Amino acid sequence: MLSCSHVRNLTGVIVLNSSLEVEAIEHLLALASPRPDWRMLDLAQGEMSIAPHFSSHVRQIAVLAREMAIASDPDGSVCADAHRMPFAANSFDVVILHGSVYPRVDMVIDQVGDVLKSRGLFMILTDLMPENAHAARYIQAFERLCDPRKDKLFAEYEWRGMCLNAGMIVDSVEITCRRTMLIPWAKRYGCDEVAIERLQIMLAQAPDAVQAFWQPGCVGTLDAAFDQYRLLLMCRKP
C-alpha cells in the first residue's frame, strides 16, 4: 500500500508534502526550470490548462485543449486532434500533460515523442490507479460515477511503459497522497444527492484491495473521506 508521503525519484529524493493543486503546479514549474527561449506545449483538459503559470517563463506556449480540440498560440488557432498533432517534429522544449486526458493516451504520448526536441522534457501530472487490476477497475467505476467524462486512469508502471515505448527516458517519479472529502469532491463535479449516495455505497462496499488503497473513513456520513494519489512523472527525449 502507498503511504501518504511516498515519493520516489530516480535521481534523488524529493519530499512533496502538500497535495494542494496550486502547490503541485508550482512544484512542477520548479522542476521544469523553464528558460526564456523555450517553446512549450500544454496538453490541457479545458479549464485545467497550466499555461498561465508558465507564460512569463517561456518564449511561446501552444495549448491543445481536449474539450474544444483547439491548439492556440500567439500566431493563431487551429482545430486539432492530440492523436495527430499539427506541429512539426522537434518543435517543443517541454510538453506537459495535466489531468485526466485522452481515450488513447498511448497515441498522444507517441505524438509527444515526435514533437519534442532532442533532450526535451515531458512532464505528466495526473491521478493514479493502484497496480491491482481488480482494484483499479473498481476505482475507475467510482471515478466515472462522479464524472462520466473521465477516461481510463493508469497505474505508475503503465505510464512509465507508455513513455518508454515512445522512446523517452524516465528521469523521476513522484507519488503523493491527498485526503479527499467525498461530498465536496463530488459536488465540484456536479453530482446530485442520488449520485452521492451511490458513491457512499461504493465507498462502504469496496473490496479489500480498494480499501487498502483508499483508507476510507467516516463512510456514510457528511465527513466521509478517502485517499487519492497523484503521479508526477518526468521524462526526457534522448
Side-chain angles (χ1 to χ4, degrees):
M1 182 186 69
L2 297 171
S3 71
C4 286
S5 60
H6 175 75
V7 176
R8 185 175 68 198
N9 189 298
L10 302 187
T11 57
V13 176
I14 296 176
V15 178
L16 181 61
N17 294 318
S18 175
S19 61
L20 296 176
E21 191 69 17
V22 64
E23 293 192 15
I25 293 174
E26 288 175 354
H27 181 63
L28 190 75
L29 179 60
L31 289 178
S33 300
R35 296 184 350 205
D37 61 336
W38 277 12
R39 293 190 72 220
M40 171 184 161
L41 173 60
D42 178 19
L43 298 176
Q45 175 110 4
E47 71 280 1
M48 295 176 69
S49 171
I50 61 174
H53 298 269
F54 282 77
S55 59
S56 63
H57 300 275
V58 298
R59 176 169 62 91
Q60 188 181 51
I61 298 179
V63 180
L64 193 57
R66 174 185 171 177
E67 274 77 7
M68 296 182 296
I70 295 295
S72 60
D73 60 36
D75 297 323
S77 300
V78 295
C79 293
D81 179 353
H83 303 87
R84 294 182 294 276
M85 294 183 187
F87 308 113
N90 307 309
S91 294
F92 296 99
D93 300 278
V94 58
V95 178
I96 298 180
L97 187 155
H98 177 229
S100 178
V101 281
Y102 304 90
R104 287 296 308 275
V105 69
D106 57 329
M107 293 176 62
V108 174
I109 292 176
D110 283 342
Q111 289 285 290
V112 170
D114 290 335
V115 302
L116 197 61
K117 293 180 181 179
S118 178
R119 295 182 295 280
L121 179 63
F122 179 40
M123 308 181 78
I124 297 169
L125 182 64
T126 189
D127 292 331
L128 189 66
M129 288 287 104
E131 293 188 2
N132 181 293
H134 296 292
R137 282 195 291 270
Y138 191 93
I139 294 172
Q140 185 75 55
F142 180 84
E143 293 276 352
R144 286 185 61 82
L145 174 58
C146 178
D147 182 5
R149 298 169 299 175
K150 287 189 177 181
D151 291 310
K152 186 179 186 299
L153 301 172
F154 299 94
E156 177 206 346
Y157 77 91
E158 293 176 298
W159 283 109
R160 287 165 59 88
M162 287 185 284
C163 292
L164 292 172
N165 288 340
M168 298 184 215
I169 299 169
V170 177
D171 278 349
S172 66
V173 179
E174 297 182 15
I175 300 172
T176 57
C177 171
R178 60 175 181 245
R179 192 66 174 167
T180 300
M181 302 298 294
L182 173 66
I183 294 177
W185 172 73
K187 286 185 175 180
R188 282 200 303 272
Y189 288 99
C191 291
D192 58 18
E193 295 303 319
V194 173
I196 291 174
E197 183 178 0
R198 292 174 62 193
L199 290 167
Q200 289 271 25
I201 292 170
M202 288 193 71
L203 203 62
Q205 296 180 349
D208 291 344
V210 177
Q211 296 269 349
F213 189 79
W214 272 343
Q215 294 294 300
C218 302
V219 180
T221 75
L222 296 176
D223 295 320
F226 62 102
D227 288 343
Q228 288 184 310
Y229 291 87
R230 176 60 60 90
L231 173 70
L232 173 54
L233 185 69
M234 292 180 59
C235 302
R236 290 192 184 274
K237 182 176 177 178

